[in-house]
Amino acid sequence: KYSMFKMGTRFRFSYQGKTAEGICNDRGAFEELGRKFDLSRGLFEKLAPKERGVIQVDYAIVDSND
């Protein structure tokens, strides 16, 4: 569920050798599509061209904001 990550949790996302960090600040309705994250356009474009649409990223929690 969306609540598996606390608001403010910082993540490091990786895709094809590129990495970018982002913070959980929203919970979208994409889980039923098999997606855990809805990346911002800016963060997505650090990993892949926007024309890719949907990508499978690796992720790690950098700071869980505990």
Side-chain angles (χ1 to χ4, degrees):
K1 290 271 178 192
Y2 310 116
S3 60
M4 71 191 302
F5 303 120
K6 290 174 34 179
M7 298 298 269
T9 300
R10 178 176 290 280
F11 295 92
R12 179 175 298 116
F13 299 98
S14 302
Y15 178 73
Q16 294 186 347
K18 296 181 181 178
T19 62
E21 288 191 12
I23 297 173
C24 177
N25 62 4
D26 187 14
R27 292 191 178 113
F30 296 100
E31 188 173 28
E32 65 266 9
L33 299 174
R35 302 178 192 166
K36 290 184 181 170
F37 301 100
D38 179 16
L39 303 180
S40 69
R41 176 176 284 173
L43 188 110
F44 185 97
E45 288 180 341
K46 289 179 180 180
L47 301 172
K50 67 180 178 182
E51 293 79 20
R52 293 281 306 175
V54 176
I55 58 175
Q56 284 191 290
V57 298
D58 293 319
Y59 70 93
I61 295 174
V62 175
D63 182 4
S64 62
N65 198 24
D66 285 334

